[in-house]
Amino acid sequence: MARKKIALIGSGQIGGTLAHLAGLKELGDIVMFDIADGIPQGKALDIAESSPVDGFDAKLSGTTGYEAIEGADVCIVTAGVPRKPGMSRDDLLGINLKVMQQVGAGIAKYAPNAFVICITNPLDAMVWALQKFSGLPRNKVCGMAGVLDSARFRYFIAEELDVSVEDVTAFVLGGHGDTMVPLTRYSSVGGISLDDVVSMGWMSQEKLDQIVQRTRDGGAEIVGLLKTGSAFYAPAASAIMMAESYLKDKKRVLPCAAALKGEYGLDDMYVGVPTIIGENGVEKVIEIDLDIAEREEFDKSVNSVKGLMEACKGIDASLA
Ligand code: A3D
């Protein structure tokens, strides 16, 4: 059986880490694309040279021409610019929207059957635009954010309770921004919901509230520390999990920015919801019950994503 082909559109911090992880996990052959000539070629060769040491077989190549992504099974998109300290994700919209237009055309021409995972910010608006620019089926284009936001939430909870990260599940809903909605009711430690963890006296409500806020600010915390860019290890690991679920038809239940067609009372937009990812891409959007307070927070988050979509329409009339 031929190896799968993974195209990484954008070979910066996240793109390089994606290539390394995809190699280590033997997900397939890897093509790194970027407009900065030399970067994708150099990173691909460097990672390829690590393969005898780590013992993985994958062909890695770097390119500045879209034709090299031809026939890709998965495209992971990080092309664009990241945040600098003091910037919000939304400040990136104008530049990255133009990048999505180019990327969408490249994927439509050379990899129309791929499963596309967008990471470029502001995530929910960019993945929505990328789907429109590429014209690929909506179930084959999704955005990575929920796996990362949930991973941050899980890590903070596990660290606080001094338990294994493996035994903490967490759930973050809504847009990938300051209004994201970490859902404590649907998050658990060894099956015990976080609300029960508080009522049992294992963690104080105040601490949980702090962790929820730290999760919301998780991206900014890293940007503040790095100063020259944004997080890349955890975002790459998260996207690789989604790609693996697709390539191996694992049907993992993962939060991701998915196209909604009536679910949660929303249409023609992308926002973070629980999904099942398998061989058909986003195979199902799971609709969970939200109480009044959760719904209010979700609606606030949805409205902020809608605002970004309107801004995109203002810049590019073809999206209207
Ligand atoms: P960076 O290291 O700057 O890499 C971006 C790469 O894109 C650079 O190598 C650029 O040369 C390249 N590029 C720019 N324009 C184009 C183009 N038109 N075509 C192809 N390549 C292009 O950034 P990064 O890897 O740290 O981050 C990439 C994106 O991911 C940014 O928009 C971040 O804001 C975003 N991001 C999202 C999350 C989410 O959870 C959604 C987390 C972290 C970062």
Side-chain angles (χ1 to χ4, degrees), residues 29-86:
D29 291 335
I30 298 152
V31 177
M32 301 183 72
F33 173 94
D34 205 288
I35 50 167
D37 193 25
I39 298 287
Q41 297 91 335
K43 289 193 179 184
L45 180 59
D46 190 13
I47 295 167
E49 288 168 357
S50 79
S51 64
V53 181
D54 280 316
F56 64 83
D57 288 301
K59 288 196 169 63
L60 281 117
S61 58
T63 181
T64 53
Y66 270 106
E67 58 283 352
I69 74 163
E70 183 153 26
D73 297 285
V74 170
C75 294
I76 308 182
V77 179
T78 59
V81 290
R83 285 196 280 174
K84 300 257 161 51

Side-chain angles (χ1 to χ4, degrees), residues 9-318:
I9 318 289
S11 302
Q13 297 281 57
I14 303 179
T17 313
L18 285 168
H20 197 197
L21 288 175
L24 288 169
K25 286 179 174 273
E26 291 194 326
L27 292 186
D29 291 335
I30 298 152
V31 177
M32 301 183 72
F33 173 94
D34 205 288
I35 50 167
D37 193 25
I39 298 287
Q41 297 91 335
K43 289 193 179 184
L45 180 59
D46 190 13
I47 295 167
E49 288 168 357
S50 79
S51 64
V53 181
D54 280 316
F56 64 83
D57 288 301
K59 288 196 169 63
L60 281 117
S61 58
T63 181
T64 53
Y66 270 106
E67 58 283 352
I69 74 163
E70 183 153 26
D73 297 285
V74 170
C75 294
I76 308 182
V77 179
T78 59
V81 290
R83 285 196 280 174
K84 300 257 161 51
M87 287 174 92
S88 83
R89 296 177 178 91
D90 304 358
D91 293 335
L92 307 172
L93 188 132
I95 302 171
N96 286 351
L97 185 64
K98 290 197 181 68
V99 174
M100 289 306 101
Q101 195 170 23
Q102 295 165 15
V103 173
I107 292 176
K109 184 163 182 195
Y110 292 107
N113 297 317
F115 179 53
V116 178
I117 302 169
C118 180
I119 307 184
T120 301
N121 272 321
L123 191 269
D124 306 85
M126 290 303 103
V127 63
W128 168 78
L130 182 62
Q131 188 277 325
K132 293 217 181 291
F133 288 140
S134 68
L136 263 63
R138 292 195 286 191
N139 59 310
K140 298 295 282 294
V141 182
C142 67
M144 187 296 294
V147 175
L148 170 66
D149 297 329
S150 311
R152 287 179 173 150
F153 196 18
R154 289 172 64 190
Y155 172 68
F156 299 147
I157 296 282
E159 188 190 33
E160 175 62 24
L161 297 179
D162 196 18
V163 298
S164 166
V165 288
E166 288 187 64
D167 295 320
V168 181
T169 63
F171 210 96
V172 178
L173 205 69
H176 180 63
D178 305 335
T179 55
M180 70 178 81
V181 191
L183 285 179
T184 54
R185 205 157 58 96
Y186 288 104
S187 305
S188 69
V189 181
I192 307 163
S193 100
L194 287 184
D195 290 357
D196 289 340
V197 165
V198 169
S199 58
M200 286 160 64
W202 198 3
M203 191 193 305
S204 68
Q205 184 64 50
E206 193 190 359
K207 189 71 221 179
L208 180 56
D209 292 345
Q210 278 170 13
I211 288 177
V212 164
Q213 193 54 42
R214 189 175 178 197
T215 303
R216 286 203 176 104
D217 298 336
E221 185 176 359
I222 305 273
V223 172
L225 290 166
L226 293 180
K227 295 180 186 71
T228 51
S230 54
F232 52 101
Y233 293 114
S238 303
I240 288 292
M241 177 182 268
M242 293 166 66
E244 193 172 19
S245 190
Y246 170 75
L247 289 168
K248 299 184 180 170
D249 191 26
K250 283 173 75 81
K251 302 197 191 295
R252 300 243 8 218
V253 178
L254 299 172
C256 79
L260 299 182
K261 302 177 288 293
E263 298 93 344
Y264 294 91
L266 300 167
D267 214 0
D268 190 30
M269 74 176 294
Y270 275 76
V271 72
V273 288
T275 65
I276 297 173
I277 297 180
E279 63 177 341
N280 296 311
V282 175
E283 298 187 345
K284 185 177 169 62
V285 169
I286 302 169
E287 279 189 272
I288 53 168
D289 278 336
L290 298 176
D291 64 23
I292 292 172
E294 290 162 351
R295 183 76 217 193
E296 261 173 25
E297 285 198 46
F298 182 64
D299 287 346
K300 206 165 116 193
S301 188
V302 164
N303 284 337
S304 105
V305 175
K306 281 183 178 167
L308 293 174
M309 289 164 58
E310 286 308 313
C312 290
K313 289 176 190 173
I315 296 170
D316 190 317
S318 73

